[in-house]
């Protein structure tokens, strides 16, 4: 007997195409409403916690299990900030009894050179103040750059989603990030220590290798200089401090990281004026160093 | 361990003097041009590096000669001291110009080493891996000093 083109469930659909079609539309509509709620969550969390100036939501991508994360531009990570995350949030996962529960976590990008052992100790000390001893047992995960925090269950999340106008769901997640935001000061310290160490190491190498050169093109293309640029926003306070104190030539690095050009040809080459122009711009734009 | 000698091994055993402390406000080209207020370099970056207006911005010997020509310098043959003239030596490596120094009245040379110190030295003592070799000499009549 030749193999059937359609299997049994597919044949079932053919027989009830109209109902199936309505069901398909409803499912799509529910997904859209669910995903839209995360825009409200993002707005609400960043409004309550302006310290979070970086956010990522991965809810529609096929590869994702549904994630939302908040961090700071000064923390490592561009496409997904190191910081505070909730994972396993995709509607399919919440509604599937076999799927794992959502979890919350502190996550540090694995490609940074942060001393994770030291970071783990600092985070654990902070966690002791925030979560119960039972919850603390789950804090350390199988990954050395991810620490688990308690999160609402699938049932709690689905109930909040399906009742009222979605506000209950938004409040549930805002409350979750209220709790997690308590880790911000310690994460600031961990990342600041990291940037300080990296900046000192790389700038020493750069000075050693290029201070005798007149060519700015060559100095600015030195691998250590490029590595400093790659550190991103978190290193900016250190560049500004060095610029203010020593008028070190961080002009191109600042330009590359901030995407700003506060200099003009009228002061080109006049290092004190160029330094002042950058420092003024940084003050006006809320940088602290 | 002497960091300058590490960079310029020919300074070792020869007399050189540090004549001013480190500063990052000007560089060798500026120093040779008599300017201690600006960092001169022919990069394409108009906002960051000073370069004389109208002179092309690329790292070639011709461009450096053109820049010094705006101050009255012309190419000459001899690196020897000539009374009534000021001289500039241009160093270059395979990639192009690297450094410039200016001659002192005693016949020795004065160089600002990038962001490091100014030193007084024998002309060829800075030759080597970092700056390459003396590629040409420029001169102008002393009377043309501004």
């Amino acid at each position: 007997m030749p193999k059937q083109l359609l299997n049994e469930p597919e044949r079932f659909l053919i027989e009830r195409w109209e109902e199936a079609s309505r069901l398909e539309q409803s499912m799509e509509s529910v997904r859209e409403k669910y995903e839209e709620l995360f825009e409200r969550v993002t707005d609400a969390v960043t409004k309550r916690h302006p310290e979070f100036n970086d956010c990522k939501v991965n809810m529609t991508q096929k590869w994702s299990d549904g994630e939302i994360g908040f961090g700071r531009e000064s923390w490592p990570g561009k496409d997904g900030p190191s910081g505070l995350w909730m994972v396993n949030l995709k509607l399919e996962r919440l509604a599937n009894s076999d799927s794992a529960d959502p979890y919350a976590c502190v996550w540090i990008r694995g490609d940074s050179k942060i001393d994770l052992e030291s970071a783990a100790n600092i985070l654990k000390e902070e966690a002791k103040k925030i979560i119960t001893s039972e919850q603390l047992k789950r804090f350390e995960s199988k990954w050395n750059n991810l620490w688990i925090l308690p999160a609402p269950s699938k049932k709690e999340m689905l109930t909040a989603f399906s009742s009222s106008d979605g506000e209950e769901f938004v409040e549930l997640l805002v409350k979750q990030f209220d709790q997690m935001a308590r880790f911000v000061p310690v994460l600031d310290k961990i990342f600041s220590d990291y940037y300080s160490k990296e900046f000192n190491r790389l700038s020493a190498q750069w000075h050693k290798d290029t201070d005798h050169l007149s060519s700015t093109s060559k100095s600015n293309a030195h691998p250590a200089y490029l590595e400093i640029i790659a550190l991103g926003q978190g290193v900016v306070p250190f560049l500004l401090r060095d610029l203010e104190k020593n008028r070190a030539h961080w002009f191109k690095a600042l330009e590359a990281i901030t995407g700003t050009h506060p200099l003009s040809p009228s002061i080109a080459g006049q290092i004190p004026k160029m330094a002042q122009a950058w420092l003024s711009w940084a003050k006006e734009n809320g940088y602290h160093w | 361990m002497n960091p300058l000698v590490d960079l310029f091994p020919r300074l070792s055993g020869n007399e050189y003097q540090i004549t001013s402390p480190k500063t990052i406000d000007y560089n060798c080209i500026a120093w040779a041009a008599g300017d201690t207020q600006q960092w001169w370099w022919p990069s394409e970056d108009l906002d960051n590096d000073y370069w004389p207006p109208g002179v092309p911005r690329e790292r070639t010997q011709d461009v450096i000669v053109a820049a010094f020509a705006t101050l009255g310098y012309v190419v000459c043959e001899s690196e020897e001291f000539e009374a009534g003239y000021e001289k500039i030596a241009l160093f270059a490596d395979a990639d192009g110009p690297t450094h410039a120094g200016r001659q002192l009245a005693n016949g020795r040379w004065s160089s600002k080493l990038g962001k490091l110190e100014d030193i007084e030295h024998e002309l060829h003592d800075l030759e080597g891996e970092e700056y390459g070799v003396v590629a040409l000499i420029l001169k102008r009549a002393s009377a043309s000093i501004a």
Side-chain angles (χ1 to χ4, degrees):
Chain A
M1 189 176 166
K3 192 185 170 198
Q4 296 271 328
L5 180 65
L6 301 178
N7 59 27
E8 196 178 333
E10 288 165 347
R11 286 198 298 278
F12 181 83
L13 280 179
I14 293 283
E15 286 162 18
R16 293 167 180 78
W17 191 255
E18 278 185 29
E19 293 97 318
S21 189
R22 280 199 292 277
L23 193 61
E24 187 182 36
Q25 285 167 15
S26 296
M27 287 181 80
E28 193 52 41
S29 169
V30 171
R31 275 195 201 95
E32 280 173 18
K33 285 173 183 168
Y34 181 71
E35 285 155 16
E36 279 167 14
L37 272 186
F38 282 88
E39 288 176 28
R40 287 166 60 185
V41 170
T42 303
D43 290 345
V45 170
T46 48
K47 195 172 172 189
R48 280 176 67 91
H49 298 283
E51 67 271 29
F52 291 133
N53 53 13
D54 200 1
C55 170
K56 186 85 176 171
V57 179
N58 299 325
M59 210 56 63
T60 54
Q61 297 87 338
K62 280 187 178 170
W63 49 263
S64 163
D65 292 329
E67 302 144 4
I68 180 168
F70 291 89
R72 286 158 67 76
E73 285 176 358
S74 58
W75 294 352
K78 281 179 185 167
D79 294 333
S82 293
L84 303 157
W85 286 80
M86 286 187 74
V87 183
N88 281 350
L89 300 183
K90 226 171 202 176
L91 192 53
E92 283 78 358
R93 296 188 71 88
L94 293 186
N96 184 339
S97 56
D98 292 334
S99 295
D101 265 322
Y103 66 90
C105 63
V106 179
W107 178 70
I108 294 178
R109 282 189 72 91
D111 56 2
S112 59
K113 292 177 185 164
I114 290 173
D115 177 354
L116 292 171
E117 201 178 322
S118 162
N121 291 333
I122 295 170
L123 288 168
K124 194 167 182 181
E125 282 308 306
E126 190 62 20
K128 283 178 187 170
K129 300 174 198 165
I130 299 170
I131 59 180
T132 65
S133 53
E134 199 57 35
Q135 290 164 337
L136 198 60
K137 287 177 187 167
R138 285 194 65 212
F139 185 64
E140 281 162 299
S141 72
K142 61 182 176 181
W143 298 283
N144 66 349
N145 63 335
L146 188 152
W147 297 269
I148 308 279
L149 296 167
S153 66
K154 284 193 285 192
K155 190 180 170 194
E156 284 174 287
M157 292 194 70
L158 280 176
T159 304
F161 172 50
S162 53
S163 59
S164 78
D165 58 353
E167 200 49 36
E168 201 177 311
F169 183 87
V170 173
E171 278 175 17
L172 186 67
L173 265 67
V174 169
K175 199 173 151 197
Q176 174 72 29
F177 281 103
D178 279 347
Q179 285 289 318
M180 296 205 287
R182 293 176 64 179
F183 282 92
V184 169
V186 285
L187 285 169
D188 265 341
K189 180 172 176 2
I190 288 168
F191 296 135
S192 177
D193 289 350
Y194 158 69
Y195 285 119
S196 169
K197 206 169 151 187
E198 282 297 277
F199 173 74
N200 289 337
R201 177 179 74 81
L202 292 165
S203 68
Q205 187 66 50
W206 179 66
H207 280 298
K208 180 174 174 288
D209 292 349
T210 69
D211 271 3
H212 61 290
L213 302 177
S214 273
S215 167
T216 45
S217 319
K218 209 167 172 184
S219 293
N220 296 346
H222 187 277
Y225 197 86
L226 299 178
E227 271 195 70
I228 283 174
I229 290 173
L231 288 173
Q233 282 287 348
V235 81
V236 169
F238 299 93
L239 301 180
L240 294 169
R241 201 174 299 156
D242 201 24
L243 188 63
E244 184 172 60
K245 194 177 168 196
N246 305 312
R247 296 205 290 273
H249 290 202
W250 297 118
F251 308 115
K252 292 303 283 184
L254 285 166
E255 198 178 297
I257 295 169
T258 65
T260 310
H261 307 268
L263 305 181
S264 68
S266 65
I267 58 167
Q270 298 175 51
I271 308 301
K273 286 183 183 174
M274 291 165 67
Q276 197 47 55
W278 266 107
L279 295 170
S280 299
W281 174 86
K283 267 180 202 158
E284 284 164 16
N285 286 275
Y287 283 90
H288 300 281
W289 61 91
Chain B
M1 192 172 142
N2 179 333
L4 285 184
V5 172
D6 288 346
L7 288 165
F8 307 105
R10 293 179 71 157
L11 288 174
S12 175
N14 291 328
E15 276 191 19
Y16 75 93
Q17 287 93 41
I18 292 173
T19 49
S20 71
K22 286 182 188 180
T23 167
I24 56 177
D25 290 348
Y26 61 94
N27 63 346
C28 65
I29 308 286
W31 177 244
D35 179 0
T36 57
Q37 304 299 315
Q38 300 182 104
W39 190 278
W40 290 42
W41 195 252
S43 72
E44 290 176 357
D45 195 337
L46 301 175
D47 291 343
N48 281 285
D49 298 315
Y50 172 77
W51 197 239
V55 179
R57 299 180 74 110
E58 55 188 56
R59 188 184 163 202
T60 66
Q61 214 159 281
D62 288 348
V63 160
I64 305 281
V65 170
F68 282 114
T70 66
L71 302 172
Y73 284 93
V74 294
V75 176
C76 74
E77 293 297 319
S78 170
E79 65 193 52
E80 300 303 320
F81 179 76
E82 292 178 54
Y85 286 95
E86 294 176 324
K87 290 191 176 181
I88 287 174
L90 180 65
F91 290 67
D93 63 15
D95 298 326
T98 55
H99 175 71
R102 73 181 191 214
Q103 196 171 36
L104 299 168
N106 61 7
R108 283 162 61 84
W109 294 77
S110 176
S111 278
K112 171 73 163 72
L113 306 174
K115 296 169 191 146
L116 304 175
E117 300 90 344
D118 304 339
I119 66 166
E120 183 182 320
H121 60 96
E122 292 300 331
L123 179 59
H124 295 278
D125 285 353
L126 292 185
E127 288 185 335
E129 197 177 326
E130 299 299 332
Y131 287 170
V133 296
V134 175
L136 59 82
I137 306 289
L138 304 164
K139 76 173 181 181
R140 73 176 177 185
S142 297
S144 63
I145 297 172

mmCIF file of all heavy atoms in Angstrom, chain B residues 20-43:
data_model
loop_
_atom_site.group_PDB
_atom_site.id
_atom_site.type_symbol
_atom_site.label_atom_id
_atom_site.label_comp_id
_atom_site.label_asym_id
_atom_site.label_seq_id
_atom_site.Cartn_x
_atom_site.Cartn_y
_atom_site.Cartn_z
ATOM 1 N N SER B 20 63.603 68.221 28.003
ATOM 2 C CA SER B 20 62.345 68.683 28.611
ATOM 3 C C SER B 20 61.521 67.469 29.005
ATOM 4 O O SER B 20 61.682 66.392 28.430
ATOM 5 C CB SER B 20 61.555 69.579 27.648
ATOM 6 O OG SER B 20 61.033 68.825 26.597
ATOM 7 N N PRO B 21 60.659 67.635 30.022
ATOM 8 C CA PRO B 21 59.894 66.466 30.501
ATOM 9 C C PRO B 21 58.844 65.996 29.494
ATOM 10 O O PRO B 21 58.560 66.691 28.516
ATOM 11 C CB PRO B 21 59.226 66.996 31.770
ATOM 12 C CG PRO B 21 59.181 68.471 31.616
ATOM 13 C CD PRO B 21 60.342 68.858 30.758
ATOM 14 N N LYS B 22 58.306 64.841 29.787
ATOM 15 C CA LYS B 22 57.257 64.281 28.914
ATOM 16 C C LYS B 22 56.079 65.233 28.802
ATOM 17 O O LYS B 22 55.661 65.834 29.795
ATOM 18 C CB LYS B 22 56.699 62.980 29.525
ATOM 19 C CG LYS B 22 57.596 61.795 29.424
ATOM 20 C CD LYS B 22 56.871 60.602 30.034
ATOM 21 C CE LYS B 22 57.802 59.411 30.147
ATOM 22 N NZ LYS B 22 57.150 58.231 30.720
ATOM 23 N N THR B 23 55.565 65.355 27.624
ATOM 24 C CA THR B 23 54.286 66.056 27.461
ATOM 25 C C THR B 23 53.575 65.423 26.265
ATOM 26 O O THR B 23 54.225 64.981 25.313
ATOM 27 C CB THR B 23 54.435 67.565 27.234
ATOM 28 O OG1 THR B 23 53.176 68.084 26.787
ATOM 29 C CG2 THR B 23 55.476 67.881 26.178
ATOM 30 N N ILE B 24 52.263 65.400 26.353
ATOM 31 C CA ILE B 24 51.527 64.795 25.233
ATOM 32 C C ILE B 24 50.773 65.860 24.458
ATOM 33 O O ILE B 24 49.852 65.557 23.712
ATOM 34 C CB ILE B 24 50.586 63.678 25.708
ATOM 35 C CG1 ILE B 24 49.618 64.193 26.760
ATOM 36 C CG2 ILE B 24 51.367 62.520 26.251
ATOM 37 C CD1 ILE B 24 48.634 63.149 27.204
ATOM 38 N N ASP B 25 51.194 67.103 24.624
ATOM 39 C CA ASP B 25 50.482 68.189 23.942
ATOM 40 C C ASP B 25 50.999 68.442 22.529
ATOM 41 O O ASP B 25 50.334 69.110 21.740
ATOM 42 C CB ASP B 25 50.578 69.478 24.752
ATOM 43 C CG ASP B 25 49.751 69.385 26.033
ATOM 44 O OD1 ASP B 25 48.951 68.433 26.138
ATOM 45 O OD2 ASP B 25 49.913 70.246 26.909
ATOM 46 N N TYR B 26 52.199 67.982 22.233
ATOM 47 C CA TYR B 26 52.732 68.162 20.879
ATOM 48 C C TYR B 26 53.630 66.975 20.553
ATOM 49 O O TYR B 26 54.001 66.216 21.455
ATOM 50 C CB TYR B 26 53.487 69.491 20.740
ATOM 51 C CG TYR B 26 54.691 69.628 21.645
ATOM 52 C CD1 TYR B 26 55.964 69.290 21.190
ATOM 53 C CD2 TYR B 26 54.564 70.085 22.962
ATOM 54 C CE1 TYR B 26 57.077 69.399 22.009
ATOM 55 C CE2 TYR B 26 55.668 70.202 23.785
ATOM 56 C CZ TYR B 26 56.922 69.855 23.305
ATOM 57 O OH TYR B 26 58.024 69.963 24.120
ATOM 58 N N ASN B 27 53.982 66.837 19.294
ATOM 59 C CA ASN B 27 54.781 65.681 18.892
ATOM 60 C C ASN B 27 56.014 66.128 18.107
ATOM 61 O O ASN B 27 56.325 67.328 18.019
ATOM 62 C CB ASN B 27 53.926 64.692 18.096
ATOM 63 C CG ASN B 27 53.420 65.286 16.791
ATOM 64 O OD1 ASN B 27 53.477 66.500 16.588
ATOM 65 N ND2 ASN B 27 52.922 64.454 15.901
ATOM 66 N N CYS B 28 56.687 65.159 17.494
ATOM 67 C CA CYS B 28 57.966 65.452 16.850
ATOM 68 C C CYS B 28 57.838 66.422 15.677
ATOM 69 O O CYS B 28 58.668 67.323 15.512
ATOM 70 C CB CYS B 28 58.628 64.161 16.384
ATOM 71 S SG CYS B 28 57.713 63.298 15.085
ATOM 72 N N ILE B 29 56.790 66.241 14.879
ATOM 73 C CA ILE B 29 56.631 67.103 13.698
ATOM 74 C C ILE B 29 56.376 68.544 14.166
ATOM 75 O O ILE B 29 56.954 69.501 13.637
ATOM 76 C CB ILE B 29 55.457 66.622 12.805
ATOM 77 C CG1 ILE B 29 55.588 65.123 12.475
ATOM 78 C CG2 ILE B 29 55.362 67.468 11.544
ATOM 79 C CD1 ILE B 29 56.638 64.752 11.489
ATOM 80 N N ALA B 30 55.508 68.670 15.173
ATOM 81 C CA ALA B 30 55.215 70.000 15.721
ATOM 82 C C ALA B 30 56.496 70.636 16.277
ATOM 83 O O ALA B 30 56.791 71.807 16.020
ATOM 84 C CB ALA B 30 54.165 69.876 16.820
ATOM 85 N N TRP B 31 57.252 69.838 17.028
ATOM 86 C CA TRP B 31 58.493 70.332 17.651
ATOM 87 C C TRP B 31 59.478 70.798 16.580
ATOM 88 O O TRP B 31 60.079 71.871 16.683
ATOM 89 C CB TRP B 31 59.098 69.220 18.502
ATOM 90 C CG TRP B 31 60.412 69.527 19.150
ATOM 91 C CD1 TRP B 31 61.600 68.904 18.907
ATOM 92 C CD2 TRP B 31 60.683 70.491 20.171
ATOM 93 N NE1 TRP B 31 62.595 69.412 19.694
ATOM 94 C CE2 TRP B 31 62.050 70.408 20.488
ATOM 95 C CE3 TRP B 31 59.902 71.436 20.841
ATOM 96 C CZ2 TRP B 31 62.668 71.210 21.449
ATOM 97 C CZ3 TRP B 31 60.515 72.244 21.804
ATOM 98 C CH2 TRP B 31 61.874 72.129 22.096
ATOM 99 N N ALA B 32 59.612 69.991 15.533
ATOM 100 C CA ALA B 32 60.526 70.376 14.443
ATOM 101 C C ALA B 32 60.035 71.642 13.754
ATOM 102 O O ALA B 32 60.833 72.468 13.298
ATOM 103 C CB ALA B 32 60.630 69.228 13.429
ATOM 104 N N ALA B 33 58.718 71.824 13.732
ATOM 105 C CA ALA B 33 58.138 73.012 13.094
ATOM 106 C C ALA B 33 58.119 74.217 14.033
ATOM 107 O O ALA B 33 57.669 75.298 13.643
ATOM 108 C CB ALA B 33 56.713 72.699 12.632
ATOM 109 N N GLY B 34 58.557 74.010 15.276
ATOM 110 C CA GLY B 34 58.602 75.117 16.233
ATOM 111 C C GLY B 34 57.269 75.381 16.908
ATOM 112 O O GLY B 34 57.025 76.456 17.433
ATOM 113 N N ASP B 35 56.405 74.381 16.945
ATOM 114 C CA ASP B 35 55.074 74.538 17.520
ATOM 115 C C ASP B 35 54.929 73.595 18.715
ATOM 116 O O ASP B 35 55.017 72.382 18.562
ATOM 117 C CB ASP B 35 54.019 74.196 16.449
ATOM 118 C CG ASP B 35 52.586 74.309 16.965
ATOM 119 O OD1 ASP B 35 52.390 74.644 18.138
ATOM 120 O OD2 ASP B 35 51.666 74.052 16.169
ATOM 121 N N THR B 36 54.741 74.155 19.899
ATOM 122 C CA THR B 36 54.561 73.290 21.080
ATOM 123 C C THR B 36 53.109 73.318 21.571
ATOM 124 O O THR B 36 52.828 72.978 22.707
ATOM 125 C CB THR B 36 55.492 73.731 22.232
ATOM 126 O OG1 THR B 36 55.223 75.108 22.524
ATOM 127 C CG2 THR B 36 56.949 73.537 21.874
ATOM 128 N N GLN B 37 52.212 73.728 20.710
ATOM 129 C CA GLN B 37 50.805 73.840 21.109
ATOM 130 C C GLN B 37 49.895 72.840 20.397
ATOM 131 O O GLN B 37 48.726 72.731 20.744
ATOM 132 C CB GLN B 37 50.282 75.260 20.797
ATOM 133 C CG GLN B 37 51.087 76.380 21.435
ATOM 134 C CD GLN B 37 51.078 76.297 22.956
ATOM 135 O OE1 GLN B 37 50.038 76.083 23.564
ATOM 136 N NE2 GLN B 37 52.248 76.421 23.576
ATOM 137 N N GLN B 38 50.420 72.156 19.382
ATOM 138 C CA GLN B 38 49.530 71.288 18.596
ATOM 139 C C GLN B 38 50.210 69.967 18.241
ATOM 140 O O GLN B 38 51.435 69.907 18.128
ATOM 141 C CB GLN B 38 49.125 71.989 17.288
ATOM 142 C CG GLN B 38 48.396 73.295 17.513
ATOM 143 C CD GLN B 38 47.978 73.931 16.200
ATOM 144 O OE1 GLN B 38 46.810 73.873 15.839
ATOM 145 N NE2 GLN B 38 48.901 74.544 15.495
ATOM 146 N N TRP B 39 49.394 68.969 18.048
ATOM 147 C CA TRP B 39 49.866 67.655 17.607
ATOM 148 C C TRP B 39 49.690 67.603 16.094
ATOM 149 O O TRP B 39 48.572 67.647 15.591
ATOM 150 C CB TRP B 39 49.023 66.561 18.277
ATOM 151 C CG TRP B 39 49.569 65.182 18.073
ATOM 152 C CD1 TRP B 39 49.390 64.388 16.980
ATOM 153 C CD2 TRP B 39 50.374 64.435 18.981
ATOM 154 N NE1 TRP B 39 50.044 63.200 17.146
ATOM 155 C CE2 TRP B 39 50.655 63.200 18.376
ATOM 156 C CE3 TRP B 39 50.899 64.691 20.262
ATOM 157 C CZ2 TRP B 39 51.420 62.205 19.008
ATOM 158 C CZ3 TRP B 39 51.651 63.706 20.872
ATOM 159 C CH2 TRP B 39 51.905 62.485 20.252
ATOM 160 N N TRP B 40 50.826 67.540 15.374
ATOM 161 C CA TRP B 40 50.775 67.526 13.909
ATOM 162 C C TRP B 40 50.837 66.090 13.392
ATOM 163 O O TRP B 40 51.742 65.342 13.770
ATOM 164 C CB TRP B 40 51.994 68.242 13.318
ATOM 165 C CG TRP B 40 52.067 69.729 13.493
ATOM 166 C CD1 TRP B 40 51.768 70.446 14.593
ATOM 167 C CD2 TRP B 40 52.527 70.667 12.504
ATOM 168 N NE1 TRP B 40 52.001 71.779 14.375
ATOM 169 C CE2 TRP B 40 52.469 71.952 13.092
ATOM 170 C CE3 TRP B 40 52.989 70.570 11.198
ATOM 171 C CZ2 TRP B 40 52.859 73.107 12.427
ATOM 172 C CZ3 TRP B 40 53.379 71.719 10.528
ATOM 173 C CH2 TRP B 40 53.292 72.982 11.132
ATOM 174 N N TRP B 41 49.926 65.740 12.533
ATOM 175 C CA TRP B 41 50.056 64.444 11.840
ATOM 176 C C TRP B 41 49.131 64.459 10.622
ATOM 177 O O TRP B 41 47.992 64.934 10.724
ATOM 178 C CB TRP B 41 49.725 63.250 12.737
ATOM 179 C CG TRP B 41 50.215 61.966 12.096
ATOM 180 C CD1 TRP B 41 49.461 60.984 11.536
ATOM 181 C CD2 TRP B 41 51.581 61.577 11.908
ATOM 182 N NE1 TRP B 41 50.272 60.003 11.017
ATOM 183 C CE2 TRP B 41 51.577 60.342 11.229
ATOM 184 C CE3 TRP B 41 52.809 62.157 12.241
ATOM 185 C CZ2 TRP B 41 52.753 59.662 10.875
ATOM 186 C CZ3 TRP B 41 53.976 61.477 11.887
ATOM 187 C CH2 TRP B 41 53.939 60.244 11.218
ATOM 188 N N PRO B 42 49.603 63.927 9.481
ATOM 189 C CA PRO B 42 48.783 64.013 8.258
ATOM 190 C C PRO B 42 47.731 62.909 8.151
ATOM 191 O O PRO B 42 47.582 62.290 7.094
ATOM 192 C CB PRO B 42 49.829 63.888 7.142
ATOM 193 C CG PRO B 42 50.893 63.032 7.724
ATOM 194 C CD PRO B 42 50.940 63.365 9.199
ATOM 195 N N SER B 43 47.031 62.667 9.240
ATOM 196 C CA SER B 43 45.981 61.647 9.167
ATOM 197 C C SER B 43 44.763 62.240 8.459
ATOM 198 O O SER B 43 44.676 63.454 8.264
ATOM 199 C CB SER B 43 45.575 61.199 10.571
ATOM 200 O OG SER B 43 44.850 62.223 11.195
#
